[in-house]
Amino acid sequence: MKRETIEQLKNTASITVLTGAGISAESGVPTFRGDNGLWKNFKAEELATPQAFIRDPSIVWEWYDLRRRLLKNIKPNTGHFAISEIERCIKDFLLITQNVDGLHGLAGNKNIIELHGNIWRVRCVSNCGTRVNKEVPLKDIPPYCDCGSLIRPDIVWFGEMLDEADLRKAYNGIRQCDTFLVVGTSGLVQPAASFPIMAKDIGAYVIEVNIEATTITPFSDEFIRGKAGEILPLLADIIAGR
Ligand code: OAD
């Protein structure tokens, strides 16, 4: 790690973190674009869309039901816990995650934006409301609301708008931070992919942790190659002054 990065982490007053599927990989959650990225020959982009749901709600729900079954007994890993420790050390802290698995909350983070939603929430397509649903496996696929309409995962699909309040809060976090830490994302899905670049433009020090270089790497002040579960505890140690 560069001397400059260590000094930055020791002296930082505000940190914004962006995470992607890579942080949950060591908990056993498959990433979207790695070797295990395909399901029944479908890519995430072919299933996580309103069009796919209109065409075949059962196949989309089967995929989410499988992911929910996988997630049911999965626990946060040392990478998630390190980010929650960083939040305890730094008052001005924001975590923006693209993950829908809820593991950051389980690890103890409080100030979280779940940019793409949460797999344990569902909502009626007729807007009857959003609720938590932890039934695993789902009894009925696809599930229906009492009003007779389909129920869908409360996830922001490709082609859908992100929540405006979430975006506003994310942009504030990007504007205000002096350190921007990006972990385990391929940087292929917008707008999250542009967050580290915006942070860099505004003057933040950008640190990327990933097992391989990404579209974000050229914009990072330091790219640390390695597993999130191994690297993040080292960064948390520096921030905590150990
Ligand atoms: P991807 O699957 O595209 O990328 C995962 C990234 O994690 C890759 O860059 C890997 O190199 C890296 N990685 C894997 N294991 C790692 C480890 N142990 N430590 C550190 N890095 C590791 O996932 P995302 O970038 O999160 O959206 O994908 C973005 C969005 O596309 C997702 O939120 C999802 C998906 O389709 C929706 O479903 C709406």
Side-chain angles (χ1 to χ4, degrees):
M1 205 182 307
K2 290 181 192 167
R3 185 82 241 151
E4 199 188 349
T5 302
I6 296 172
E7 285 309 310
Q8 175 71 26
L9 291 173
K10 276 184 180 163
N11 298 313
T12 188
S14 55
I15 301 191
T16 294
V17 182
L18 171 68
T19 62
I23 187 146
S24 295
E26 290 158 80
S27 291
V29 184
T31 57
F32 293 97
R33 295 178 183 77
D35 292 340
N36 303 317
L38 289 183
W39 175 74
K40 292 192 178 175
N41 283 329
F42 289 109
K43 291 191 212 147
E45 290 89 335
E46 293 166 331
L47 291 164
T49 69
Q51 293 81 356
F53 191 67
I54 290 165
R55 204 179 309 125
D56 192 344
S58 296
I59 199 107
V60 172
W61 261 119
E62 270 178 43
W63 184 56
Y64 280 108
D65 189 53
L66 171 72
R67 291 191 73 88
R68 285 160 61 102
R69 276 186 276 147
L70 270 173
L71 283 168
K72 184 164 168 51
N73 297 312
I74 273 177
K75 307 247 178 326
N77 63 58
T78 48
H80 295 103
F81 287 119
I83 294 180
S84 110
E85 191 189 1
I86 295 172
E87 180 167 1
R88 285 194 298 278
C89 294
I90 302 284
K91 214 169 92 233
D92 196 356
F93 174 94
L94 177 66
L95 170 58
I96 307 166
T97 186
Q98 300 167 86
N99 300 344
V100 297
D101 56 28
L103 290 177
H104 284 300
L106 287 179
N109 277 110
K110 299 279 184 279
N111 201 16
I112 314 174
I113 298 174
E114 291 183 316
L115 206 61
H116 294 165
N118 186 298
I119 203 164
W120 302 113
R121 279 196 320 258
V122 298
R123 64 184 164 88
C124 167
V125 295
S126 298
N127 286 330
C128 288
T130 300
R131 53 186 176 274
V132 171
N133 171 315
K134 293 207 164 163
E135 187 191 19
V136 172
L138 281 169
K139 238 186 357 273
D140 300 310
I141 290 188
Y144 281 89
C145 181
D146 291 342
C147 78
S149 296
L150 275 167
I151 283 181
R152 59 165 280 178
D154 191 23
I155 287 176
V156 185
W157 284 332
F158 288 97
E160 295 184 318
M161 302 283 280
L162 296 181
D163 182 85
E164 232 179 272
D166 282 350
L167 263 185
R168 208 172 314 119
K169 194 172 169 190
Y171 288 132
N172 275 337
I174 294 164
R175 237 187 326 269
Q176 281 161 18
C177 69
D178 59 48
T179 304
F180 192 94
L181 175 60
V182 50
V183 185
T185 180
S186 54
L188 294 173
V189 174
Q190 293 294 356
S194 59
F195 291 173
I197 300 160
M198 285 179 200
K200 173 80 187 151
D201 278 348
I202 292 170
Y205 191 88
V206 177
I207 303 169
E208 180 184 27
V209 177
N210 201 305
I211 52 170
E212 59 188 26
T214 70
T215 59
I216 296 160
T217 309
F219 302 91
S220 305
D221 291 283
E222 178 151 18
F223 168 61
I224 307 176
R225 189 187 294 271
K227 292 185 174 176
E230 291 167 11
I231 305 294
L232 293 177
L234 305 178
L235 304 189
D237 277 351
I238 298 169
I239 292 166
R242 286 192 291 269

